[in-house]
Amino acid sequence: MARRNHTSELGCIACDDLSELGAGKEGWLVNNPNLLTALDTHSIALANRSIVLILHWVEGSDPVGNRVKIVPELSPIEAENISAIEWLVFDDIKVLGLGTSRGYLLIYSLRGDLIHKQIVSPGKILRLRVRDTKRDLTQDASSEEVCVVLSGVIGRFDGSDIQNMLQRWFRERYSQFWDERESENSRETFGRLPYQLWNVSKYGSCVDAAITGLMPPPLLELESSQHYYCAITVGADAVISAYRLSVDRSRSIVGAILSKVVPATFSTITSISKMLWRSDPTPAKRPEPKPQPFARASPLTCFKDHPRKGEKVTLSPSGTLAAVTDSLGRILLLDTQALVVVRLWKGYRDASCLFVEMLAKKDAETSKSAYHEHVKSDYCLCLAIHAPRKGIVEIWQMRTGPRLLSIPCAKGSKILQPTYRFASSEVSVSSYVPLELFFLNGDSGQLFVLNRSLS
C-alpha cells in the first residue's frame, strides 16, 4: 500500500544570506533561542538579535532575487536587541512589526524603511500578537488588535489606529518626489499611537500572555460604560493566571484625540521652525517620552503547581480556547470563558502548538470536486502538536475529539502559521480561508503546507 502524503511542498527559501542567521549548521532554525520567524503569504521574515531578513517567493521560484535585509538602529549602550517579530497586514498594505529588548515597537516597510518607532513600556517585548475581537458582547461586529507582551505587562493597540497611520505614511511617501533632505525628514514618525497598558504581575512575572477577548463586567458594575477584556498569562510562579482588564472608554477617547492633535501641532511648528532656522547646526534633542500609565487589571484566578512552569500560549481563532505548554511536558487546553482546563496531554516536552482547521471526513469526497467551494462550517477546529523529541506532528480534533493524524516531521523543522490579515470589509462566506499549518525544514530550506483534507 502506498504511503499517504499529507503535505504539499510550496518552495524553498535556501539562499546565501541565511548564513548570517546561522544557516549551514545542523538545527540552526530550532537550536538558537534568539532566532525569530514570522510567516505570511509568499513571505517569511527571520531575525536574530540585530538583523532581519525578509524573503519573498512564488511557488517553485528561487527567493534569491527577492530579499530585503533590515538592520534596525539599536542602542549599543544598553545592548538593545530584537526580541519579537510579526507581520501586520491591512488589505493591500503589508509591513513588519518588531519588538526590542528596551520595550520599543518598530514598524518597517517591505523596502526596509522605518515607518514608526514608539516606546510601549520599559522592558523586553516578549511577543507581538495580532487578531480580531468583538467590539461588544451583544454584537457580532469585530475590531482588530495588536497585543504587545512584556514580562508582567500587556499592551493593546487598536488595529484601526495603526492602519490609519500606515495609510497616511504611504500616501505621503509616494504622493511626491523626495530629495535627499526630504527622505531624511521622512524617517520621522507620526507621533504616538494611542494604546492601553496593564500590569499583570500580581501572581509573578510572565513569559507569555494573550488577550482572549471581551468579558462581562463585575456583578456590581453591570451598568458600567466600560469595556472589559480577559487576559491570561503563563510563567514560572503561576502556570496560568487570568485577569480582567478595564478599558475606560472616555479616557481612551480623550487620549486618542490628544495623541492625534498634539503630535500634528508639534510637527507643524517643527516644520515652520526648520524653514526659518534651516542653518541651525544643533537642533534640540527630543525628550524621552514619559511611560504610559497603567489601566486597572483585576486578578481573577491562578493555577500554581510547583515546580511546573508555564511556557507558551496559543489561542484559537475565536479566543475561547487556549493551549498552554509547560516545563513538565504537558499541554493544557483551557476554556478561556469558564477559566477551566478541559483537556490535558502528557509526554510532550519542548512541544509547540498551533490551531488549524481541517475538512471533516464526510467532506473528503466533496473536496475532490473542482466546482465546490468550502464554507466555514465544512471545517473542524483541531490542535496541531509538534513533538520534536518524537519527530512527529499530531492533529487532534477539538475539544474532546480523537487524534486524526500523526505526521512525521524532519529534525530541525518548525511549524508556522501566517499572521492574521486585517480586512476592512467582511470576507464572503464562500471565500473563507481556513487556518493552515506550514512546516519549515531549516536544514533543507523547504517549506510545506498541511493538506486540508484528512483523506
Side-chain angles (χ1 to χ4, degrees):
M1 181 180 295
R3 186 176 180 179
R4 292 181 179 178
N5 187 11
H6 295 287
T7 61
S8 302
E9 185 175 356
L10 296 180
C12 182
I13 66 166
C15 63
D16 294 337
D17 289 331
L18 287 175
S19 60
E20 296 188 60
L21 302 176
K25 301 178 182 179
E26 184 178 358
W28 68 276
L29 184 65
V30 295
N31 293 336
N32 183 1
N34 296 316
L35 185 63
L36 309 171
T37 55
L39 181 68
D40 188 55
T41 307
H42 301 308
S43 300
I44 187 170
L46 300 100
N48 60 13
R49 294 173 62 89
S50 58
I51 65 172
V52 182
L53 184 63
I54 301 177
L55 301 175
H56 308 283
W57 78 91
V58 180
E59 295 183 12
S61 70
D62 191 344
V64 173
N66 300 297
R67 63 191 187 277
V68 176
K69 181 180 177 181
I70 301 175
V71 183
E73 294 183 4
L74 304 174
S75 172
I77 299 177
E78 301 187 34
E80 186 179 14
N81 59 79
I82 302 170
S83 56
I85 184 172
E86 189 58 275
W87 290 102
L88 306 177
V89 185
F90 300 87
D91 292 330
D92 57 342
I93 297 178
K94 181 164 70 172
V95 296
L96 187 66
L98 303 179
T100 76
S101 58
R102 293 182 60 208
Y104 278 89
L105 173 65
L106 312 177
I107 300 178
Y108 283 88
S109 71
L110 295 183
R111 295 174 52 184
D113 301 315
L114 177 61
I115 299 176
H116 188 74
K117 180 178 181 179
Q118 177 171 337
I119 182 72
V120 179
S121 182
K124 180 181 179 181
I125 293 181
L126 303 174
R127 188 160 183 179
L128 300 175
R129 294 179 179 270
V130 293
R131 59 186 301 268
D132 68 332
T133 57
K134 287 186 176 181
R135 295 179 183 174
D136 193 279
L137 291 173
T138 60
Q139 300 177 2
D140 292 332
S142 62
S143 62
E144 296 80 11
E145 69 179 21
V146 176
C147 179
V148 182
V149 180
L150 299 90
S151 180
V153 175
I154 294 181
R156 182 188 183 276
F157 291 81
D158 195 284
S160 61
D161 292 325
I162 298 179
Q163 184 177 17
N164 292 335
M165 182 271 294
L166 292 176
Q167 289 174 343
R168 284 189 296 143
W169 187 89
F170 280 101
R171 185 166 56 248
E172 295 189 16
R173 174 70 168 160
Y174 298 112
S175 63
Q176 54 183 306
F177 177 78
W178 295 85
D179 60 18
E180 183 178 355
R181 181 182 298 274
E182 288 170 331
S183 65
E184 292 178 358
N185 293 340
S186 68
R187 295 170 63 87
E188 297 181 4
T189 57
F190 293 91
R192 286 171 59 84
L193 290 169
Y195 68 103
Q196 293 280 337
L197 199 65
W198 297 274
N199 186 334
V200 288
S201 60
K202 172 69 175 181
Y203 301 116
S205 62
C206 64
V207 296
D208 200 1
I211 298 177
T212 63
L214 289 173
M215 70 179 305
L219 292 178
L220 299 180
E221 300 181 20
L222 292 179
E223 301 300 326
S224 173
S225 62
Q226 295 189 26
H227 277 180
Y228 294 91
Y229 292 104
C230 179
I232 58 173
T233 67
V234 299
D237 299 312
V239 181
I240 303 174
S241 304
Y243 295 83
R244 177 185 282 110
L245 309 181
S246 173
V247 180
D248 190 335
R249 286 193 287 182
S250 60
R251 180 178 175 183
S252 62
I253 291 174
V254 173
I257 294 175
L258 291 177
S259 64
K260 294 179 184 296
V261 174
V262 174
T265 306
F266 178 80
S267 178
T268 303
I269 296 174
T270 303
S271 301
I272 296 175
S273 63
K274 285 183 177 180
M275 293 175 61
L276 297 176
W277 294 281
R278 187 179 294 274
S279 60
D280 187 1
T282 57
K285 185 179 179 181
R286 289 187 177 182
E288 287 293 326
K290 295 181 179 180
Q292 171 94 353
F294 290 116
R296 185 176 55 164
S298 305
L300 296 175
T301 185
C302 74
F303 170 55
K304 296 185 178 182
D305 186 20
H306 185 77
R308 187 191 307 193
K309 302 176 182 179
E311 294 182 340
K312 287 176 287 188
V313 177
T314 302
L315 282 183
S316 66
S318 63
T320 57
L321 291 176
V324 178
T325 59
D326 66 23
S327 58
L328 298 183
R330 298 170 182 171
I331 301 172
L332 297 84
L333 186 65
L334 178 71
D335 184 320
T336 60
Q337 294 180 323
L339 296 177
V340 295
V341 175
V342 295
R343 195 165 186 177
L344 176 69
W345 291 266
K346 296 181 179 181
Y348 292 87
R349 287 190 179 272
D350 303 325
S352 57
C353 302
L354 287 173
F355 285 93
V356 62
E357 292 174 312
M358 304 288 293
L359 287 171
K361 290 185 178 180
K362 61 183 177 65
D363 299 313
E365 295 298 325
T366 312
S367 65
K368 299 178 181 179
S369 172
Y371 303 99
H372 177 76
E373 291 187 355
H374 293 285
V375 295
K376 185 174 182 178
S377 58
D378 293 332
Y379 297 92
C380 61
L381 182 65
C382 302
L383 181 67
I385 302 175
H386 179 207
R389 296 195 180 190
K390 299 179 180 180
I392 59 173
V393 172
E394 297 178 346
I395 309 296
W396 293 80
Q397 187 173 354
M398 296 290 96
R399 296 185 170 189
T400 57
R403 185 179 68 179
L404 303 178
L405 286 176
S406 181
I407 311 166
C409 188
K411 185 179 180 180
S413 297
K414 180 179 288 189
I415 60 173
L416 301 170
Q417 202 164 58
T419 186
Y420 172 81
R421 305 180 72 87
F422 298 95
S424 58
S425 58
E426 295 186 2
V427 181
S428 62
V429 178
S430 61
S431 60
Y432 178 72
V433 179
L435 282 176
E436 294 185 298
L437 184 69
F438 293 78
F439 303 79
L440 177 60
N441 187 326
D443 296 336
S444 67
Q446 293 175 299
L447 184 67
F448 301 86
V449 62
L450 178 65
N451 297 334
R452 299 176 183 177
S453 176
L454 296 174
S455 60

